Amino acid sequence: MTYEKLLEKFRELKNPEDYFQGYGEPYFSPPRNILMFYRDTVSATELQLYTDFHYRNVLVMNTGVPIRMQLDSKHIYLDHHCYILILPYQYHRFIIEQEKGLSLTLITFEMTDNLYWETFRYMARQFDSGSIKLLESCYTAFTENRTMELPFQVGALMANLAGQKRIIEDDLYKKMKSSQLVGDLCRRIYKNKSLTIKELSCEVGYSESYLRKSFRKVMGIALGQYMIEVRLTDAMFYLSTSDKSITEIAELVGYENVFSLSRAFKVHIGLSPTAYRLERKRHFKSQEIYRFRNKKGHFMEAERHNSSEFHFF
């Protein structure tokens, strides 16, 4: 488009009725710490029992043979030319019947607010020509190391994948966004991980039952389970990236003593904190942090699936 044609379009713009009410309210924070890579094979060395969670968003785009994925307790079919967004801490594995024809493009990133994307959990969708153009822009920004531009290119891609119609009409997200109470609860829990539900109830002035009901309705998870996951996530971070003692870590993440932390690990992860730390040091060289919502028995049951192989990112 030439400058003259663009100017003609500008002349069609009308004066606003309200000079202080415009457009452009963001529904999610810009992606950051972005990685982009391609997979046409999966190494057997990546097949480890405890590599099912991490704290990053993973956008998986399939341009090859259809594959299946185990995402939490669900089995997702990802067809050719489709994508799916894996949210932080979601249990996930590829189920690949044959590696021949495998073609996956992956973008992993972090966002300070993932609330909007909760509405896209487990949702596999097709990407269109507009998404392909934006994906090309992401590729160019990433490979040319345009660090200032890259977050906004990936953000534009995510907005396009979400779809403008869905953003406007998504009642679930509107309910989420309007729930200031749940947002306040999350902030309080992160700020003081030793809080109990009873103490939260006293701080915000609502009954415990109301808090539990409201939290589950918005977040899709029990308040008590969420509080445990916040504590264990921090504990796994310290175990994986520091030499702090188990006692120090227990205090940092809100447990009364090392025994309470150990009990929570064994119940929700199937390992002791010490065993978890050794497992991480043995299998991983990076500082990727993983969260477990399922017990070890669930993992072992998945491993017994003998008709396919499970592959990890």
Side-chain angles (χ1 to χ4, degrees):
M1 182 182 296
T2 63
Y3 175 78
E4 287 73 18
K5 289 185 178 180
L6 183 60
L7 186 58
E8 289 179 9
K9 290 186 175 293
F10 285 161
R11 291 193 178 106
E12 296 175 2
L13 293 172
K14 299 178 181 179
N15 288 330
E17 296 180 3
D18 185 344
Y19 284 90
F20 300 95
Q21 186 67 41
Y23 303 99
E25 181 181 5
Y27 285 82
F28 55 90
S29 59
R32 60 184 180 84
N33 196 11
I34 299 163
L35 290 173
M36 188 173 184
F37 52 97
Y38 177 79
R39 288 283 177 86
D40 57 6
T41 59
V42 181
S43 170
T45 59
E46 297 173 42
L47 303 181
Q48 302 293 349
L49 182 58
Y50 302 109
T51 57
D52 310 314
F53 294 84
H54 51 68
Y55 65 95
R56 294 166 64 80
N57 295 275
V58 182
L59 180 63
V60 183
M61 292 162 284
N62 185 16
T63 53
V65 295
I67 64 171
R68 290 183 295 124
M69 300 176 63
Q70 185 176 350
L71 201 53
D72 295 332
S73 60
K74 298 180 181 294
H75 281 258
I76 307 295
Y77 179 80
L78 193 62
D79 204 351
H80 172 75
H81 217 63
C82 288
Y83 70 90
I84 193 167
L85 178 66
I86 301 174
L87 299 174
Y89 312 116
Q90 276 196 283
Y91 170 82
H92 62 276
R93 292 182 177 184
F94 287 131
I95 307 175
I96 303 173
E97 281 76 14
Q98 55 175 345
E99 286 196 22
K100 187 177 180 181
L102 181 66
S103 179
L104 299 174
T105 302
L106 299 98
I107 302 179
T108 74
F109 53 91
E110 300 167 29
M111 285 191 290
T112 56
D113 181 9
N114 281 286
L115 189 60
Y116 171 68
W117 298 106
E118 286 290 337
T119 64
F120 291 81
R121 189 182 287 268
Y122 312 121
M123 187 179 296
R125 304 177 71 188
Q126 251 187 344
F127 49 94
D128 55 19
S129 57
S131 300
I132 294 174
K133 291 180 181 178
L134 289 167
L135 187 58
E136 181 181 2
S137 299
C138 292
Y139 170 82
T140 301
F142 182 79
T143 55
E144 295 182 1
N145 198 25
R146 300 180 188 173
T147 55
M148 293 290 289
E149 177 185 338
L150 183 59
F152 299 100
Q153 294 288 2
V154 176
L157 172 64
M158 295 300 294
N160 183 270
L161 293 178
Q164 185 64 29
K165 182 177 180 181
R166 181 173 176 82
I167 290 176
I168 293 173
E169 297 182 356
D170 197 331
D171 293 334
L172 179 57
Y173 174 67
K174 291 177 182 178
K175 292 177 182 177
M176 284 182 173
K177 191 182 176 193
S178 65
S179 181
Q180 299 297 323
L181 172 60
V182 171
D184 185 35
L185 292 178
C186 291
R187 285 189 291 271
R188 291 174 186 271
I189 292 167
Y190 274 100
K191 186 176 180 180
N192 183 359
K193 297 178 180 64
S194 64
L195 280 175
T196 64
I197 296 179
K198 184 176 182 179
E199 289 170 337
L200 275 174
S201 174
C202 293
E203 285 192 8
V204 300
Y206 291 96
S207 68
E208 294 180 42
S209 60
Y210 181 78
L211 294 187
R212 293 177 190 274
K213 181 179 179 181
S214 299
F215 197 89
R216 181 179 285 278
K217 183 178 180 180
V218 172
M219 299 295 286
I221 182 176
L223 177 56
Q225 182 182 347
Y226 179 83
M227 295 170 76
I228 291 172
E229 290 189 353
V230 168
R231 291 177 182 177
L232 292 183
T233 297
D234 264 18
M236 285 188 279
F237 174 83
Y238 289 122
L239 289 168
S240 302
T241 63
S242 78
D243 294 321
K244 296 181 184 296
S245 69
I246 308 299
T247 302
E248 289 178 298
I249 293 173
E251 183 178 351
L252 284 169
V253 302
Y255 283 98
E256 294 180 357
N257 51 57
V258 66
F259 303 107
S260 298
L261 174 62
S262 297
R263 184 166 56 250
F265 253 75
K266 289 177 181 178
V267 170
H268 295 280
I269 300 176
L271 294 170
S272 69
T274 300
Y276 176 87
R277 172 173 269 171
L278 291 174
E279 189 75 20
R280 286 295 180 228
K281 287 184 177 180
R282 186 189 314 163
H283 294 300
F284 303 101
K285 302 299 182 183
S286 68
Q287 293 185 348
E288 284 270 275
I289 311 305
Y290 299 83
R291 172 185 278 182
F292 292 77
R293 285 188 180 174
N294 302 62
K295 296 182 180 180
K296 184 178 178 182
H298 177 70
F299 302 151
M300 296 302 292
E301 182 181 352
E303 286 296 317
R304 289 195 292 268
H305 191 285
N306 55 15
S307 62
S308 307
E309 287 188 346
F310 291 90
H311 298 266
F312 306 92
F313 297 128

